[in-house]
Each structure stands twice: as structure tokens, then as C-alpha cells.
Amino acid sequence: MALDPQVKQLLEQLGKMEGPAIHELAPEESRNLFRNSVKHFAAPPEAVAKVEDRRIPVKGGEIDIRIYTPSGEGPFPVFVYFHGGGWVLGDLDTLDSPLRTITNRANCVVVSVDYRLAPEHKFPTAVEDGYLATKWVAENAASFSGDPRRIAVGGDSAGGNIAAVVALMAREKKEPALCFQVLIYPVTDVSKNYPSYYEFGKGLFLTEEDMLYFGRQYLRTEADRFDIHVSPMLAEDLSGLPPALVVTAEYDPLRDEGEAYASRLEEAGVPVELCRYEGMIHGFFNMTKVLDQANHLVQKVADVLKRAF
């Protein structure tokens, strides 16, 4: 279908803004640009019963997490979330607004993970941080009214990549037990370009040049593109992974690889719901201030998590 009218208006507004693109900037400059853009797109954050920031140990250091707790009596199921940003951009504030809403509507604890970013920390740091944070959540759930028997992982874009890889790692290492995964327009295969890269790689928020830039920052060598912890699509066996919700956007360079991964999960016997948002662009999940479909997706994630938990 055609671009959603709200998306079309948004892209027209962005087109009038002067300044360099993400891929033309140094990482710290691109982070500032990304941080400022979030403020314009996300709805005002809802109040939740409790918000707590903590630092947790990971390999070679510590990272920050933010724990959102709903009202009521625990223990609550837990949704561990990894923000997007090409493994280069983003922080705990990036998805603050939708994660608060999910906390309230799914009646779960949400743990947002501030994994270390590239290029200062190249692959495999982000996925190792993601796995160790998820393991920490399982081992320490009682300290924040969480239920270690009901843990889901999720993320958007590069964060969806981390969530998918964490699910693989948890299966490989046989811990922690995960009950669900939410993959929102995830990166699943950087070993090649899919047709949607060429169809939607220019002028639609996320560009092919942006993805090339992110790859240069995150990967150590070209060989990393074929590592299943970068490209989970290349894993020989996807059986035994937790059930999944895979969300794609029609006008997104990453659309085809996300949908291909959903097909691979289904072929492996993993229960999966694939939901393509027609007329949408990459990044719309956090655009709740300007896009009706973003609010629909936030509610969708909350509803699916409630059923999974």
C-alpha cells in the first residue's frame, strides 16, 4: 500500500531539516542527533509504580539497566529489552516512553539494558552484555519483584538482533529459560542485502548507507558478518527457541530479513506470529507522538506479552 499519510508528513518535515545524515557523522555526534530526535517523536512518558536504575557486572566491566515496575503485588513476569540504534546509538532514554506503557499494560517488570556501544566496544560486546544482563535478571529477579520462571526478551532493530541472539545463546548454554521473544524490525542477516534494501534504502528514514555505517562501526572483520551471533539467520538449527512475535514495516530496508527469519523460525517448529505494518517505516515503534500505528504496536506488544506470560 502507499506510505501512511502520517509517515508521509513526517518524512516531508524531516526532508526540510538541514544538517548531515547519521552516516556522515562521528559516532558521538550521531548519538547526540539520535538522542535529540527521540524527543520529537515519542509521546510523553506514563507514570509507573517504580523506576530504578542499577549497575550490573558484565565481562570486563559494568553496564546500566533501568527497571520499570507496575503497581500491584509481585512477583511479576519480566520483559528484558534492548534498544535499537545500529549497535552505535541509543541509551536508556531511547525507548523510555513505550517501555513505560508496556510495563503498565502488560503488568510486567521491564528491564531496559544499556549495553555497550560500538565502535568503542565492537562485536561481540553488545550480545555478550545482552546475554549476561538476561542471566543476571534470572538470577536476581527476586530483588525487584520479578518472576524468574517468566522471562521474555525483546528489542527493536539492532536491539532486535541482540534479543534474537540472546535467545540463541540461552539455548546454547541451557540458561536462562526464556518464554518469549519480541523482535521488532530486527537485523537478522548482515551477510547479504535483501531486495527490500534496494527498494527502500533511500529517503525513508533508515538508509542503506546508514546500515553500511553501522556495520563498519560494529564489526571487527568481514568474517563477523557470517557469525550466527551477528546474523542469526545463518544458524543451522533454530528449533527449541522461545515463541516469537516478529514485527516488520512495509517501507523498511530490514523488512525482508525480518520476515525471512520469521519463516525460518516457523519451519523449525517455533510458534511465531509475523506482523507486517503496512505503510510504516523503520523506527516507527518509538514514534508514538506522531504515528497512530506506533501506539497500535505498543499495545500489540503488551497484549502478546500478557498472553505469553
Side-chain angles (χ1 to χ4, degrees):
M1 64 178 280
L3 270 175
D4 183 282
Q6 291 179 323
V7 170
K8 189 175 180 182
Q9 183 179 16
L10 171 64
L11 291 174
E12 287 171 354
Q13 291 172 346
L14 290 172
K16 294 174 184 175
M17 297 171 64
E18 295 183 1
I22 289 284
H23 64 265
E24 296 171 331
L25 296 169
E28 196 53 50
E29 293 174 311
S30 63
R31 288 170 191 153
N32 290 333
L33 180 64
F34 186 71
R35 195 175 293 118
N36 290 332
S37 71
V38 167
K39 299 173 186 175
H40 297 292
F41 300 143
E46 294 182 12
V48 298
K50 183 181 179 183
V51 180
E52 179 187 5
D53 288 353
R54 292 195 193 181
R55 286 186 68 76
I56 63 170
V58 289
K59 184 179 179 180
E62 293 182 321
I63 59 171
D64 295 315
I65 62 171
R66 180 169 294 168
I67 304 170
Y68 303 89
T69 307
S71 57
E73 290 292 319
F76 300 100
V78 187
F79 183 37
V80 183
Y81 196 86
F82 310 102
H83 65 78
W87 307 282
V88 176
L89 316 175
D91 54 31
L92 291 178
D93 295 329
T94 301
L95 273 293
D96 182 70
S97 176
L99 293 185
R100 286 169 175 265
T101 304
I102 289 168
T103 300
N104 289 331
R105 296 185 188 175
N107 198 41
C108 68
V109 169
V110 175
V111 179
S112 181
V113 179
D114 197 21
Y115 56 90
R116 289 172 288 181
L117 300 175
E120 296 89 343
H121 302 280
K122 290 183 176 286
F123 171 78
T125 301
V127 291
E128 288 181 345
D129 285 357
Y131 173 75
L132 290 173
T134 306
K135 189 167 179 282
W136 182 93
V137 163
E139 293 170 349
N140 295 273
S143 73
F144 53 83
S145 301
D147 182 352
R149 298 165 301 176
R150 293 182 292 164
I151 297 174
V153 293
D156 60 292
S157 193
N161 171 270
I162 294 171
V165 172
V166 166
L168 275 176
M169 295 171 76
R171 186 194 64 176
E172 291 164 7
K173 299 173 185 293
K174 297 183 171 52
E175 64 171 344
L178 302 176
C179 68
F180 203 75
Q181 52 182 325
V182 176
L183 310 179
I184 300 173
Y185 35 77
V187 180
T188 65
D189 187 359
V190 299
S191 70
K192 64 179 182 179
N193 285 359
Y194 288 72
S196 55
Y197 257 74
Y198 305 109
E199 285 185 77
F200 311 121
K202 295 186 186 302
L204 292 165
F205 196 68
L206 178 70
T207 68
E208 184 181 356
E209 287 180 312
D210 290 335
M211 288 305 298
L212 291 171
Y213 169 83
F214 292 141
R216 288 194 301 271
Q217 306 302 321
Y218 182 51
L219 303 176
R220 299 165 301 184
T221 67
E222 283 299 300
D224 283 344
R225 295 184 182 277
F226 301 92
D227 191 306
I228 64 169
H229 294 156
V230 172
S231 297
M233 182 81 74
L234 303 183
E236 289 186 17
D237 179 15
L238 296 180
S239 64
L241 291 172
L245 169 67
V246 180
V247 174
T248 61
E250 182 183 10
Y251 287 87
D252 182 357
L254 303 186
R255 183 193 72 189
D256 290 352
E257 65 189 83
E259 294 180 1
Y261 193 66
S263 295
R264 287 269 341 265
L265 289 170
E266 192 169 42
E267 289 164 6
V270 176
V272 58
E273 178 181 355
L274 172 62
C275 184
R276 180 197 284 190
Y277 277 77
E278 305 291 348
M280 287 293 110
I281 56 173
H282 190 83
F284 80 97
F285 178 54
N286 198 31
M287 298 179 181
T288 47
K289 186 177 180 180
V290 293
L291 299 179
D292 293 340
Q293 289 298 306
N295 291 288
H296 183 280
L297 176 54
V298 172
Q299 185 64 53
K300 170 84 175 175
V301 171
D303 290 344
V304 168
L305 284 173
K306 282 185 81 170
R307 289 197 299 270
F309 288 143

